[in-house]
Amino acid sequence: MKYSKIQTGCIDGFKVENILVEIDINSRSTQQTFKIVGMPSTSVLESEKRVLSAIRNTGFSIPNGSIVANLSPTSMKKEGSHFDLPIAISLLEASRQIKELDKNYFIFGELGLNGEVRPVHGIALFLMFIKELNKEAKFIIPKGNQEESAFVSKKDVLVIENLRDIESISLGIIDKFEPFYERSNEIFYDIDFQEIRGQIFAKRAVEIAASGFHNVLMKGTPGSGKTMIAKRVPTILPDMTREEIIESTMLYSVAGYMNFIVNRRPFRSPHHTASSASIIGGGAIPKPGEISLAHNGVLFMDEFPEYRADVIEALRQPLEDGEVVVTRAKSVAKFPAKFMLIASQNPCPCGYYGDKEIECTCSMNQIVNYNKKISGPIMDRIDIRIDVPRVKIEELMSKEEGESSKKIKERVSKTAQIQIRRQGKLNGKLSNKELKKVANLTDKAENFLKQASMNLKLTARSVNRIIKISRTIADSFESRNIEINHVSEALNYRGTR
Ligand SMILES: Nc1ncnc2c1ncn2[C@@H]1O[C@H](COP(=O)(O)OP(=O)(O)O)[C@@H](O)[C@H]1O
Ligand SMILES: [Mg+2]
């Protein structure tokens, strides 16, 4: 019998299914054929040509007879070009051209016609997922993907550049693996908070938002610096934890980013004309969208009311659960999507309502409608809402530098630590029930809030949001209780709706 099997995998949403590649060669058959079965998609069927050429062009030979490659389990549709290498290696084993490999190897790689092994999508997910379930697992991956193995022990991974090398690997001659990923302790950005002139109020609001991972809506005339502020938020967020780095790297890997280690908080800003699939996630083979690429970082939605209504509504579930469920005809995929939403908008369609110098040309109706475009359930998830007016020209020209991102980040990290220690998560992610347990409003603060909510006709929901923000403000002062001054500051960030 000329038979061999090699393990590999297939991506299914944010999971990996183990796939067994089996090769059977019937050398008594007078026909020379090669067939791939086991629900291969068209992309996998193309493998056939690449595998045969690569084998021929690397000095190996194509065995006589009829060859069948089976991808098991056959119930699952197989996608991707990474089956080339396991199929080719299995074929070489079955025809005894190489020594059998250790059966704990999981193999991934696309082949060029010349035998070159090319990088593929999803390696970070394959490695982390398979290793989690199978401690014995070892891997052979394309050299072009090697950085994605940063989180797996070096001794379990071999990189390969050309199919030719499989012979030396099978003989145990190649077994070295170069270290390549050292996490630098300091992350550098080429932008900094200190470049923002004035905007003391907005900067403080955004610092509080960052400290508790609260969502923010900034309203202001064009050119007031909203985009500038949003872009700098990742520079003040705490460093990513190892778990966060791994999870984000896996998401980027599935999305098709190769050799990309996400070691700084992502900042994503999809345009409002982008498709729902690209923002939320989707496609025939479900792929993560922008909201998942923003996982552990910032999702900036500029001109918020301009996004398609279905896109805005689809944000509701991720804003609540920190993950998104993408449903397609035959599959359901769940991707993490825990991001800090920073939305910005003009105060009205023309942009200048409330501006001190330029006159607004909108009717009252237009202004009201524009501001109503975002539905209540979405607005409910935006804790901090502020006006960002344009700064005066003198202020813009001033040489006086503000505080550096580094300094603000230290405070933010400290405030975040307090929350994690107390409740295992940041205040922005607390449910109302959880918030009640940790709020600790002093009697005075509670009375003050009651009075304020009557005077300002606040809804129960906005009162909850104010308590949540007050909690983060109190934490920023390392105060166990929420005092009057914390509530009073929080009231400034409640917006008009
Ligand atoms: N407070 C500020 N400090 C420094 N530069 C500013 C400030 N506000 C605006 N600018 C300048 O104006 C430009 C436009 O700002 P931007 O952030 O794009 O405004 P918006 O997004 O509100 O329309 C910025 O690139 C920056 O050069
Ligand atoms: Mg802008």
Side-chain angles (χ1 to χ4, degrees):
M1 188 172 70
K2 288 187 170 172
Y3 171 88
S4 159
K5 56 185 179 193
I6 298 269
Q7 302 194 83
T8 183
C10 190
I11 291 176
D12 176 18
F14 200 49
K15 301 193 308 276
V16 173
E17 290 293 334
N18 285 0
I19 303 291
L20 196 63
V21 175
E22 296 178 291
I23 292 275
D24 178 51
I25 305 169
N26 180 356
S27 41
R28 265 172 294 176
S29 168
T30 50
Q31 280 180 344
Q32 178 81 34
T33 56
F34 181 35
K35 204 167 159 46
I36 300 174
V37 299
M39 266 240 245
S41 65
T42 344
S43 69
V44 178
L45 280 175
E46 287 176 353
S47 196
E48 194 181 302
K49 303 272 184 314
R50 291 191 297 268
V51 166
L52 295 181
S53 294
I55 288 182
R56 237 184 304 106
N57 291 330
T58 45
F60 295 112
S61 59
I62 296 159
N64 289 327
S66 74
I67 307 165
V68 177
N70 180 37
L71 308 177
S72 158
T74 55
S75 56
M76 185 194 178
K77 183 108 180 154
K78 319 295 182 309
E79 284 291 344
S81 56
H82 64 272
F83 294 103
D84 292 0
L85 189 62
I87 291 173
I89 293 175
S90 193
L91 210 164
L92 294 177
E93 275 190 3
S95 55
R96 319 260 151 76
Q97 298 182 69
I98 57 169
K99 216 174 140 236
E100 235 183 70
L101 294 169
D102 180 335
K103 285 302 150 206
N104 286 321
Y105 273 119
F106 285 74
I107 301 177
F108 306 88
E110 179 183 316
L111 286 169
L113 300 181
N114 57 356
E116 183 189 20
V117 178
R118 297 184 175 151
V120 294
H121 296 176
I123 288 295
L125 183 75
F126 284 132
L127 266 52
M128 294 307 297
F129 200 96
I130 293 170
K131 194 70 190 170
E132 184 70 33
L133 298 179
N134 179 352
K135 298 291 170 229
E136 304 296 309
K138 299 206 277 185
F139 306 92
I140 297 177
I141 62 168
K143 184 153 173 33
N145 287 109
Q146 70 172 4
E147 291 190 22
E148 289 178 63
S149 66
F151 310 106
V152 183
S153 163
K154 285 200 287 274
K155 66 175 179 18
D156 293 332
V157 185
L158 277 179
V159 293
I160 182 167
E161 275 184 282
N162 193 291
L163 181 61
R164 186 70 251 174
D165 300 335
I166 197 63
E167 194 169 11
S168 327
I169 290 176
S170 73
L171 293 170
I173 297 168
I174 297 183
D175 59 358
K176 66 176 189 311
F177 192 61
E178 304 294 332
F180 41 77
Y181 176 72
E182 298 289 341
R183 185 180 169 196
S184 67
N185 289 327
E186 197 141 11
I187 309 262
F188 292 98
Y189 289 92
D190 51 10
I191 49 175
D192 198 286
F193 243 70
Q194 70 187 8
E195 292 147 7
I196 305 166
R197 297 281 174 277
Q199 300 293 19
I200 306 289
F201 173 75
K203 281 197 270 190
R204 168 73 183 164
V206 165
E207 177 179 336
I208 292 301
S211 303
F213 220 64
H214 299 281
N215 302 315
V216 182
L217 173 66
M218 290 189 278
K219 224 184 250 189
T221 49
S224 68
K226 301 181 295 294
T227 299
M228 191 182 186
I229 294 170
K231 277 189 175 159
R232 283 158 181 75
V233 169
T235 69
I236 62 167
L237 286 168
D239 283 334
M240 292 176 84
T241 63
R242 187 181 156 85
E243 285 67 37
E244 286 175 330
I245 291 175
I246 292 176
E247 199 168 38
S248 288
T249 300
M250 282 158 64
L251 277 164
Y252 275 71
S253 167
V254 175
Y257 288 73
M258 292 190 280
N259 255 353
F260 193 78
I261 306 290
V262 186
N263 59 0
R264 57 170 74 195
R265 304 242 170 226
F267 177 86
R268 305 295 300 192
S269 53
H271 194 257
H272 58 78
T273 54
S275 70
S276 166
S278 78
I279 298 180
I280 305 300
I285 318 153
K287 286 253 173 13
E290 290 290 335
I291 64 170
S292 292
L293 297 179
H295 180 61
N296 293 320
V298 171
L299 179 71
F300 179 46
M301 297 180 82
D302 203 4
E303 323 274 359
F304 199 39
E306 305 290 338
Y307 287 79
R308 291 167 38 157
D310 61 324
V311 168
I312 293 183
E313 282 317 301
L315 292 175
R316 188 172 164 175
Q317 186 213 0
L319 284 174
E320 274 167 24
D321 310 333
E323 61 178 18
V324 60
V325 179
V326 181
T327 320
R328 280 290 161 271
K330 281 194 192 128
S331 54
V332 177
K334 245 190 223 173
F335 297 107
K338 183 170 63 85
F339 50 84
M340 177 176 164
L341 173 67
I342 303 185
S344 81
Q345 67 166 91
N346 292 334
C348 65
C350 87
Y352 290 97
Y353 179 67
D355 193 80
K356 290 203 178 72
E357 283 143 33
I358 303 172
E359 202 173 329
C360 168
T361 57
C362 307
S363 71
M364 219 48 206
N365 244 341
Q366 279 177 309
I367 299 171
V368 171
N369 285 337
Y370 188 73
N371 282 286
K372 268 203 316 217
K373 271 180 110 173
I374 313 299
S375 73
I378 298 296
M379 283 305 282
D380 262 345
R381 288 275 145 193
I382 303 182
D383 292 337
I384 293 190
R385 305 166 194 181
I386 51 168
D387 286 331
V388 182
R390 275 189 300 155
V391 297
K392 291 196 203 73
I393 192 83
E394 309 90 79
E395 222 168 348
L396 217 50
M397 306 290 280
S398 132
K399 295 267 180 304
E400 203 180 312
E401 298 231 304
E403 253 185 321
S404 69
S405 289
K406 188 166 179 236
K407 203 128 180 242
I408 303 172
K409 178 177 163 178
E410 276 168 21
R411 279 200 303 268
V412 168
S413 305
K414 201 162 159 196
T415 309
Q417 264 316 309
I418 292 173
Q419 302 159 55
I420 300 288
R421 242 180 279 131
R422 179 179 60 222
Q423 68 218 15
K425 56 167 101 169
L426 295 167
N427 293 339
K429 300 292 158 204
L430 290 176
S431 67
N432 286 336
K433 212 168 132 194
E434 291 166 331
L435 176 64
K436 265 213 177 85
K437 279 193 220 149
V438 296
N440 283 329
L441 281 140
T442 61
D443 291 345
K444 278 185 186 159
E446 191 156 350
N447 286 332
F448 176 76
L449 180 56
K450 269 188 196 141
Q451 201 58 50
S453 63
M454 275 191 295
N455 295 345
L456 303 165
K457 299 197 173 56
L458 301 178
T459 61
R461 289 183 163 157
S462 42
V463 169
N464 269 327
R465 278 199 309 272
I466 288 161
I467 298 176
K468 210 179 261 187
I469 298 301
S470 307
R471 186 60 265 171
T472 304
I473 294 168
D475 290 332
S476 79
F477 291 110
E478 298 178 52
S479 167
R480 213 189 83 81
N481 296 323
I482 297 179
E483 311 274 356
I484 290 185
N485 56 329
H486 306 143
V487 176
S488 134
E489 184 183 345
L491 283 167
N492 294 325
Y493 310 141
R494 76 180 190 283
T496 42
R497 243 179 96 192

